[in-house]
Amino acid sequence: MTGRHTAYDVLVVGGGGVDTVVRVGSLPVPLADSVHVGPVEEHPGHTGGYVALGARALGLRTAFVDFVGEDWPGTLVRERMAEGGVEFFPLISPAGTRRAVNLVDAAGRRMSFYDGRDPAGLRMPRDFHLPHLRRARHVHLSIVDFARFLYDDIEALGVPVSTDLHDWDGLADHHREFALRSDLVFLSAAGAGEGTPALMREILREGRAEAVVATAGAEGAYVLARDTGPDPHHVPAAVPPAPVVDSNGAGDAFACGFLYGRLAGRDVLECARLGTVAGAHACTAPGSAALIGEETLLAAAGVRGGGS
């Protein structure tokens, strides 16, 4: 990477869409023919969009490449990226824009019904993605299927790459390539439960990752890196600065805080602390309405600006 010009600090690949949020009194929702709810909200973002918006809010030069449809949800995604200052380069998906319906209870917990809808065999043309990869300092791949086909070019260019496996249990084949070919791996401890430490060790042992981070909601996060010993380090959760409204996007915000620290040269535990602060902040408003800025992040985490 020596001497290579980088136009973007972070290039996010895939994973955009629109969340339809329905607020309910409790989860699970009691079986009934009809349930009266408050206003149903539409929030453009999804995991890739939230990472792109969150990184940009932290002052990182951010670009986003993805497939969206020529439809109303695709328009919402385009408009939200423009509003957030993200350079968005969309390709048209014949299947339309990804959607999700999220049931969110009074405590901010969610249950998501995800409509990935990408057709089998969808591929991002190499002459489209390669120029963007060449201009990136770091690449973050969402676990949409077409993104896996960028790994060869990413590795050939020597660009660091991260991914978020979400609630992977260590068994589903779809996630495995992302887990083993990324330099930095995020996942939710909800997927593997008590098996999370073993799964983290497996990813380090069998893959190329320098660090694996498991987010655990109100418990904080666990970090395992090649230079931190055999057991994951616990990083306590940050206290949200306001009441929790919606946990959707908290993991994406965590990844943004961590990447911000990593790109500044901070060690992995300090990066995780930044991640917990960003994740807690994201829970205080719906959708991408609570994007934390650089100054607020550093002050809340109790760290100075700049890195090592």
Side-chain angles (χ1 to χ4, degrees):
M1 292 177 63
T2 303
R4 187 170 63 85
H5 171 70
T6 57
Y8 319 128
D9 294 311
V10 179
L11 173 67
V12 180
V13 178
V18 173
D19 290 318
T20 298
V21 176
V22 182
R23 301 198 176 276
V24 297
S26 62
L27 290 172
V29 177
L31 181 62
D33 181 68
S34 178
V35 177
H36 290 279
V37 298
V40 174
E41 306 163 356
E42 307 285 351
H43 296 291
H46 276 202
T47 182
Y50 288 148
V51 170
L53 290 165
R56 185 69 192 100
L58 287 170
L60 299 174
R61 300 167 298 167
T62 306
F64 182 31
V65 293
D66 197 8
F67 287 92
V68 296
E70 291 184 306
D71 48 22
W72 171 66
T75 298
L76 290 182
V77 173
R78 289 183 180 90
E79 291 175 348
R80 183 66 185 94
M81 294 304 122
E83 178 187 331
V86 173
E87 293 188 57
F88 184 37
F89 302 94
L91 292 170
I92 300 302
S93 170
T97 305
R98 302 175 204 93
R99 303 291 304 275
V101 176
N102 296 336
L103 305 184
V104 180
D105 71 6
R109 296 171 299 183
R110 68 156 186 174
M111 182 175 184
S112 181
F113 299 84
Y114 178 62
D115 171 12
R117 81 170 53 202
D118 287 346
L122 186 68
R123 300 287 184 273
M124 190 166 275
R126 190 167 185 261
D127 61 0
F128 172 81
H129 73 245
L130 192 55
H132 294 295
L133 294 179
R134 286 175 172 152
R135 302 177 71 194
R137 184 179 170 199
H138 182 94
V139 177
H140 182 81
L141 293 185
S142 300
I143 55 171
V144 290
D145 191 62
F146 67 79
R148 72 176 69 251
F149 298 97
L150 276 64
Y151 272 114
D152 287 347
D153 284 328
I154 292 170
E155 291 172 7
L157 291 169
V159 184
V161 57
S162 57
T163 194
D164 190 337
L165 306 177
H166 300 284
D167 58 351
W168 188 42
D169 57 5
L171 301 176
D173 287 338
H174 174 84
H175 302 68
R176 186 164 299 277
E177 183 173 9
F178 292 95
L180 301 185
R181 298 188 71 179
S182 296
D183 301 292
L184 173 61
V185 175
F186 300 100
L187 57 91
S188 168
E194 294 181 355
T196 298
L199 179 57
M200 295 171 75
R201 294 187 190 100
E202 178 185 340
I203 292 171
L204 277 190
R205 183 177 65 251
E206 298 187 10
R208 58 176 289 167
E210 297 177 357
V212 182
V213 184
T215 56
E219 294 182 17
Y222 296 86
V223 180
L224 185 65
R226 296 193 181 275
D227 59 356
T228 59
D231 297 316
H233 287 252
H234 179 233
V235 178
V239 177
V244 172
V245 172
D246 186 353
S247 62
N248 188 43
D252 304 315
F254 180 101
C256 291
F258 195 104
L259 289 176
Y260 169 86
R262 204 63 177 152
L263 289 169
R266 299 181 185 276
D267 67 65
V268 291
L269 296 180
E270 193 169 31
C271 291
R273 172 61 181 162
L274 292 168
T276 62
V277 170
H281 194 276
C283 293
T284 62
S288 60
L291 298 174
I292 194 168
E294 179 180 28
E295 185 175 339
T296 302
L297 176 69
L298 294 174
V303 299
R304 296 181 179 180
S308 59

